[in-house]
């Protein structure tokens, strides 16, 4: 099993550009999450989806939108990228809202 | 989420036990203590979690004080591959894990 797969692995954007980060899991998990990690810092929750059809804001949702496309896929969209959004983005999933998280390998995003 | 406090860094000799402390004095009665680790820039990896009782799995042991205000993660025989940042989090469930704080950077030395 691949686990949690994120695409792309690296991306460079110019200020104001938009893009969508993709995440898919093959573990039949109900819950999915998006985190960001700034250099030398811990992770902060952006959005999560406790189950298919629901999404909720985390600690730092401003500037982002999410879509739970189906049970497998959870995408994160930056509508108008800003330099402050330069970060590593991690997607995670869990069997349920109460279970441990499985993380993807991350997307390194630079906004110039 | 409960606020947690961890030392920023620790060293451990290879083959010895690594004991990583975490203070979570504000944890509520139904919040779990979770431990994750992050090797280099990879995605964090789950290690263990517990509520009141001590827990053990194939990776580590978790000792929670009786008053639940602190806990210790124990890696019984640290190897060089255990060099990582270790995060302690207090949360009701995964959806409340708003922040993985600074963590403890463990350096296992030969």
């Amino acid at each position: 099993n691949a686990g949690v797969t994120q695409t792309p692995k690296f991306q460079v954007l110019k200020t104001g550009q938009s893009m969508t980060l993709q995440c898919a899991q093959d573990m039949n998990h109900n819950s999915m999450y998006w985190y960001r990690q700034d250099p030398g810092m811990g992770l902060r929750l952006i959005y999560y989806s406790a189950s298919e059809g629901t999404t909720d804001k985390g600690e730092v949702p401003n500037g982002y939108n999410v879509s739970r496309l189906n049970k497998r896929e959870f995408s994160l969209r930056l509508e108008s990228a800003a330099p402050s959004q330069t970060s590593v983005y991690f997607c995670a999933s869990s069997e349920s809202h109460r279970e441990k998280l499985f993380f993807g390998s991350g997307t390194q995003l630079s906004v110039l | 989420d409960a606020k947690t406090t961890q030392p920023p860094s620790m060293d451990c000799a290879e083959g010895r036990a690594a004991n990583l402390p975490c203070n979570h004095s504000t944890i509520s009665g139904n919040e779990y203590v979770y431990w994750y680790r992050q090797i280099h820039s990879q995605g964090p990896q789950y290690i263990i979690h517990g509520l009141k009782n001590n827990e053990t799995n194939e990776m580590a042991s978790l000792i929670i004080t009786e008053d639940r205000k602190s806990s210790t993660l124990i890696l019984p025989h640290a190897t060089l591959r255990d060099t990582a940042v270790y995060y302690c989090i207090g949360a009701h469930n995964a959806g409340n894990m708003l922040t993985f704080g600074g963590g403890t950077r463990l350096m296992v030395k030969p």
Side-chain angles (χ1 to χ4, degrees), chain A residues 24-67:
Chain A
Q25 51 89 11
D26 61 2
M27 296 174 282
N28 200 36
H29 284 172
N30 290 300
S31 303
M32 298 185 73
Y33 313 82
W34 276 105
Y35 285 88
R36 63 176 286 176
Q37 184 172 33
D38 297 334
M41 307 290 285
L43 286 81
R44 292 181 293 172
L45 183 64
I46 305 171
Y47 271 95
Y48 69 98
S49 170
S51 60
E52 189 178 355
T54 69
T55 60
D56 287 285
K57 295 179 180 179
E59 184 184 12
V60 288
N62 291 345
Y64 305 96
N65 286 302
V66 290
S67 295

Side-chain angles (χ1 to χ4, degrees), chain A residues 8-13 17 19-21 107-111:
Chain A
K9 293 190 181 303
F10 302 94
Q11 184 71 48
V12 178
L13 294 177
Q17 287 185 317
M19 79 160 295
T20 299
L21 280 64
T107 294
Q108 190 167 323
L109 175 67
S110 294
V111 183

Side-chain angles (χ1 to χ4, degrees), chain B residues 84-110:
Chain B
V85 177
Y86 288 77
Y87 297 101
C88 167
I89 304 156
H92 295 99
N93 52 53
N96 291 125
M97 293 185 191
L98 301 179
T99 303
F100 286 50
T104 296
R105 185 173 298 276
L106 175 69
M107 180 72 71
V108 180
K109 298 183 175 180

Side-chain angles (χ1 to χ4, degrees), chain B:
Chain B
D1 288 359
K3 178 176 170 54
T4 60
T5 304
Q6 299 177 255
S9 64
M10 292 181 64
D11 290 343
C12 178
E14 188 179 18
R16 304 297 294 269
N19 298 289
L20 291 89
C22 180
N23 181 290
H24 34 78
S25 57
T26 62
I27 197 168
S28 65
N30 56 358
E31 282 186 313
Y32 289 82
V33 179
Y34 290 85
W35 284 84
Y36 286 78
R37 73 180 182 184
Q38 187 174 26
I39 297 173
H40 294 301
S41 299
Q42 300 175 17
Q45 175 190 24
Y46 167 84
I47 301 172
I48 199 166
H49 75 286
L51 185 63
K52 294 180 181 179
N53 300 322
N54 298 337
E55 302 287 345
T56 296
N57 63 21
E58 65 278 5
M59 291 183 69
S61 295
L62 174 61
I63 307 298
I64 302 174
T65 58
E66 192 169 342
D67 62 10
R68 301 208 332 119
K69 292 185 177 182
S70 66
S71 61
T72 301
L73 179 75
I74 301 172
L75 307 179
H77 305 287
T79 71
L80 299 179
R81 289 177 297 178
D82 291 322
T83 292
V85 177
Y86 288 77
Y87 297 101
C88 167
I89 304 156
H92 295 99
N93 52 53
N96 291 125
M97 293 185 191
L98 301 179
T99 303
F100 286 50
T104 296
R105 185 173 298 276
L106 175 69
M107 180 72 71
V108 180
K109 298 183 175 180

